[in-house]
Amino acid sequence: MIKRFNFSPIINTGAVVKELPYDSGNPVPFTLKNNAFSLDMDAKTRIYGLGETVRGINKRGWIYESWCTDEPFHNEDKRSLYGAHNFILVDGKERFGAFFDTPGKITFDLGYTDSDRIVITPESFALDLYIVTGDSLKAIVAEFRALIGKSYIPPLWAFGYGQSRWGYVTEKDIRECADNYEKAGIPLDMLYLDIDYMDSFKDFSVHPERFPDLKAFAAEMKERGIRLIPIIDAAVKKQDGYSVYDEGHEKGYFCKDENGEDFVVGVWPGKSVLPDFLNPEAARWFGMKYKALTDRGIEGFWNDMNEPALFYSEKGMDHAIDEVKKLDGGELDSLRFFGVRDVLIKLQNNADDYKSFYHNAPEGKFRHYDVHNLYGYNMTKSAYDALCELRDEPSLLFSRASYIGAHRYGGVWTGDNHAWWKHILQSLQQMPGMNMCGFLYSGSDIGGFNGNCTRDLLIRWMSFAVFTPLMRNHSAFGTRRQEAFAFGDTEAFRHIIGLRYRLIPYLYSEFVKAAENDAMFFRPLAFDYEEDEIVATVEDQLMVGDSMMIAPVYVQNAVGRHVYLPEKMEQIRMHEGYISTEELNTGWHYVDIPLGDVVFFTKSPIPLAKPAMNTSELDLENVEFI
């Protein structure tokens, strides 16, 4: 059952597709006082949800700010990441879900200030509150998912393995990468193009020297079973003579400052402007620009920098220069140095900048700050709507920033993580929360985007990522190379990535079933075994589909780990070259997991396809069961 409580929404966020009447006659389960919703917890209360956030599956004990944020350091002290997913599931004396549908900032204090109290504080009461009840945790999620609409289903080939790196500058770099994978005998379906493929970082452009004939190159790669997936950034370069800028400026499709002029920011292209994705006419205009690449044979995209990320604004830079000049006087001692540094650091993603530009939505004119969390959502919708019109087949589409509702149009990846062991565990713990909010096609940058990956870290990360719908290795310019062929001995990587392809019959069918039935592909054990008090404390194992449970290794130099089985299961061990099985009883077990082995547990037979070098070679009819 779902009840809707209205607190004067200012804009239709687009998150909800199922219309519900207001239910002002029933009290919400929270106490509403001092502009905050509060609820007392007992010792056993657990809180799930909030999509893409730091810390564990149980979110109790920390404070989160729902505010799409360009944040590359995903440490435990962070309160915001790239997505704004305002759904929590409270499992305590009362059991219910709560979705706070509001486009601006909202703070979830889940036992941080007072360890036994939930306090949820929206900056604005322009919101709808939906209270969701059901007879189980899974039932509550299913009710909520039915409210917000069906999840995006990508094409089958999007379940293949993808390789990306900021630093593949030319066609030659991409071809060499494909050649190295082929030489190593490692399957590959996608190669990603980061910002270097563009001409001067201009959206929908292609560098004429680095990629002289992208259409022919895309066809060449597809003949090898590989699709090229380019990046599209949110900001448009401010340059006279650049057709995208000229058209958008002439038609008034960019966000405006208080004087009605295009608001100018600095991002990768330098001085740039921001498409007004809350304006349906502007959104359609931008979405149809993807035609410049689909006409060249491109079948998928990843949208980036769409929180939107701002390196600086013209207004902010002018202010910073004035502040630095004030500090200029005499020797640059340590205090002056830190003063200059702080002025420059505050330029990036500055709240004052977000308060300085405006959107023209159907409901009226809105300050960006008040509707900030809808920007990435509407960019994804813009692209999805256009791609459905431009292409006869499904497209791959995923985004960095998102709000609930964007799950209908594309997937998400978890952004600029690090080559840290703790980020394997963090990725695992993020998956159920994103699934609750509808984002089924998701994954992290395998090996870490930032920092220098090691061979053992990449092997362990891949041993988890073989189960995530989006399986992409991605790293940053200037970091150590971390392709599966980059560490010399490729046998372990060939085995693990090859296993991914053999598992696609199970993974894809369970994914589609979860999307069609408003279910979760990844679930905490507590959702399947509610009567077992132990599973509520298990934070590093997940159910995958109906039958499978995973328990990956995420500790450096570990040779195994303890695993809890809530019922008798079959342990499946995938070695290099052979498979072994063992029946294990309910309870705790220490499981040896040597580097390179992939181990999972199952309640029923799992279909395995024959080995394939890409999804076009997969035989989905003739499978074996283990």
Side-chain angles (χ1 to χ4, degrees):
M1 180 183 294
I2 304 175
K3 295 182 183 295
R4 176 187 181 191
F5 301 90
N6 172 240
F7 295 87
S8 301
I10 58 170
I11 191 170
N12 178 15
T13 66
V16 171
V17 298
K18 182 179 178 182
E19 288 295 328
L20 294 176
Y22 296 130
D23 203 336
S24 57
N26 289 286
V28 299
F30 300 99
T31 299
L32 181 54
K33 185 178 180 181
N34 297 328
N35 293 322
F37 299 90
S38 61
L39 178 70
D40 290 332
M41 298 184 283
D42 62 21
K44 292 186 176 182
T45 299
R46 292 180 171 83
I47 307 170
Y48 302 102
L50 289 185
E52 181 189 2
T53 46
V54 298
R55 301 204 170 212
I57 294 173
N58 177 9
K59 299 301 179 183
R60 180 172 179 167
W62 189 237
I63 185 169
Y64 301 91
E65 292 177 352
S66 191
W67 182 257
C68 296
T69 304
D70 175 18
E71 175 50 73
F73 292 97
H74 307 170
N75 291 311
E76 288 187 12
D77 62 344
K78 294 300 184 292
R79 297 184 179 186
S80 302
L81 293 180
Y82 307 97
H85 306 138
N86 306 340
F87 175 72
I88 60 170
L89 202 169
V90 179
D91 185 18
K93 292 180 294 185
E94 297 183 77
R95 174 187 280 180
F96 64 93
F99 173 43
F100 295 81
D101 191 9
T102 180
K105 183 181 288 187
I106 180 169
T107 302
F108 293 83
D109 185 335
L110 307 179
Y112 172 76
T113 302
D114 181 335
S115 59
D116 294 321
R117 195 165 180 79
I118 295 170
V119 180
I120 299 168
T121 309
E123 282 204 359
S124 166
F125 268 77
L127 64 85
D128 273 332
L129 171 59
Y130 296 82
I131 299 299
V132 189
T133 55
D135 57 9
S136 69
L137 296 171
K138 288 196 288 188
I140 291 172
V141 172
E143 284 274 354
F144 175 61
R145 292 273 302 284
L147 174 73
I148 60 175
K150 299 296 182 186
S151 297
Y152 161 80
I153 298 177
L156 175 69
W157 55 261
F159 270 64
Y161 173 70
Q163 178 62 57
S164 181
R165 180 174 173 83
W166 175 23
Y168 297 153
V169 175
T170 65
E171 181 180 297
K172 179 174 179 286
D173 296 334
I174 296 293
R175 189 179 287 110
E176 286 181 352
C177 184
D179 291 345
N180 283 324
Y181 269 97
E182 185 175 338
K183 181 179 178 181
I186 300 173
L188 183 67
D189 257 272
M190 290 159 284
L191 279 166
Y192 288 80
L193 307 180
D194 211 315
I195 55 177
D196 293 309
Y197 84 91
M198 301 178 189
D199 183 7
S200 303
F201 305 138
K202 291 182 289 189
D203 278 341
F204 312 114
S205 71
V206 179
H207 197 286
E209 296 173 2
R210 296 171 180 174
F211 293 87
D213 190 343
L214 181 63
K215 184 174 183 178
F217 184 50
E220 172 196 327
M221 287 291 106
K222 189 172 181 179
E223 185 68 24
R224 298 175 63 172
I226 298 169
R227 287 169 169 85
L228 301 179
I229 311 297
I231 193 173
I232 299 293
D233 280 347
V236 170
K237 185 175 180 67
K238 182 179 184 294
Q239 181 183 73
D240 292 336
Y242 166 39
S243 63
V244 178
Y245 169 72
D246 289 342
E247 285 180 34
H249 175 67
E250 179 184 348
K251 295 179 178 180
Y253 286 161
F254 300 125
C255 294
K256 306 297 183 185
D257 63 17
E258 62 272 18
N259 299 317
E261 301 295 326
D262 290 348
F263 187 73
V264 180
V265 299
V267 204
W268 291 117
K271 288 187 177 181
S272 306
V273 287
L274 298 170
D276 185 358
F277 290 112
L278 274 69
N279 175 348
E281 190 176 314
R284 174 173 166 74
W285 165 80
F286 188 89
M288 295 305 290
K289 292 299 177 184
Y290 285 75
K291 187 176 188 296
L293 295 168
T294 59
D295 282 352
R296 290 177 163 104
I298 298 301
E299 300 177 51
F301 299 88
W302 50 303
N303 288 342
D304 200 4
M305 305 292 287
N306 53 352
E307 291 74 33
L310 309 180
F311 294 167
Y312 63 87
S313 69
E314 270 192 331
K315 173 183 173 182
M317 181 63 77
D318 291 343
H319 174 72
I321 291 171
D322 289 341
E323 290 299 305
V324 170
K325 286 178 178 177
K326 292 177 185 176
L327 294 166
D328 186 19
E331 185 180 349
L332 187 64
D333 58 20
S334 57
L335 290 178
R336 283 197 176 89
F337 165 75
F338 284 112
V340 170
R341 185 200 66 172
D342 289 347
V343 166
L344 297 178
I345 286 175
K346 290 175 182 177
L347 279 174
Q348 191 165 1
N349 303 319
N350 188 287
D352 287 340
D353 286 335
Y354 290 127
K355 293 175 181 178
S356 298
F357 64 94
Y358 296 83
H359 297 272
N360 286 304
E363 295 89 345
K365 179 180 177 180
F366 295 99
R367 185 177 65 160
H368 173 82
Y369 184 88
D370 299 320
V371 293
H372 171 78
N373 290 333
L374 301 183
Y375 195 81
Y377 159 88
N378 280 286
M379 182 183 182
T380 300
K381 184 179 186 301
S382 162
Y384 175 85
D385 288 344
L387 290 171
C388 287
E389 189 173 336
L390 293 170
R391 304 191 65 246
D392 295 329
E393 298 178 354
S395 305
L396 171 61
L397 181 63
F398 59 94
S399 170
R400 192 170 76 175
S402 60
Y403 183 78
I404 291 174
H407 69 284
R408 300 191 293 270
Y409 312 115
V412 291
W413 94 102
T414 60
D416 297 346
N417 57 4
H418 276 71
W420 297 337
W421 286 88
K422 65 182 181 180
H423 275 183
I424 301 178
L425 177 61
Q426 177 173 284
S427 176
L428 177 146
Q429 292 174 333
Q430 288 173 328
M431 293 299 126
M434 288 194 289
N435 276 204
M436 289 179 212
C437 297
F439 295 96
L440 300 186
Y441 189 74
S442 55
S444 61
D445 286 343
I446 301 167
F449 176 72
N450 296 291
N452 295 312
C453 190
T454 60
R455 179 176 179 271
D456 57 340
L457 174 58
L458 188 61
I459 288 173
R460 292 299 193 193
W461 207 317
M462 281 192 175
S463 299
F464 160 63
V466 293
F467 303 102
T468 61
L470 170 60
M471 186 183 183
R472 180 178 77 150
N473 180 336
H474 184 43
S475 55
F477 178 79
T479 62
R480 183 185 188 184
R481 299 297 290 261
Q482 62 185 48
E483 296 89 347
F485 56 76
F487 294 94
D489 181 6
T490 58
E491 186 61 36
F493 298 107
R494 183 162 56 249
H495 158 63
I496 295 169
I497 297 171
L499 172 61
R500 163 57 170 233
Y501 283 76
R502 301 199 68 192
L503 285 169
I504 284 178
Y506 176 80
L507 297 174
Y508 193 70
S509 63
E510 291 296 307
F511 178 96
V512 172
K513 186 163 61 176
E516 291 178 344
N517 296 330
D518 298 323
M520 296 169 65
F521 179 76
F522 285 114
R523 300 180 305 283
L525 270 59
F527 281 51
D528 284 38
Y529 302 94
E530 292 191 16
E531 302 305 317
D532 188 331
E533 293 187 2
I534 294 176
V535 297
T537 65
V538 176
E539 290 265 320
D540 57 358
Q541 300 174 209
L542 293 177
M543 301 301 298
V544 182
D546 282 347
S547 301
M548 185 185 290
M549 186 187 78
I550 60 172
V553 173
Y554 53 88
V555 177
Q556 186 175 10
N557 298 319
V559 295
R561 56 160 292 170
H562 286 91
V563 177
Y564 181 74
L565 300 185
E567 65 173 296
K568 183 183 290 186
M569 291 186 180
E570 194 83 4
Q571 174 187 287
I572 312 295
R573 181 181 298 272
M574 314 293 282
H575 307 266
E576 293 176 11
Y578 68 97
I579 301 170
S580 62
T581 66
E582 179 183 358
E583 188 174 79
L584 299 178
N585 289 319
T586 304
W588 285 101
H589 301 267
Y590 182 81
V591 179
D592 293 313
I593 309 178
L595 194 65
D597 279 12
V598 176
V599 174
F600 59 89
F601 307 85
T602 181
K603 302 184 289 183
S604 60
I606 299 292
L608 282 184
K610 295 176 181 178
M613 290 301 293
N614 52 62
T615 52
S616 64
E617 295 181 2
L618 272 178
D619 182 353
L620 299 177
E621 301 298 326
N622 299 300
V623 298
E624 62 175 295
F625 286 85
I626 55 169

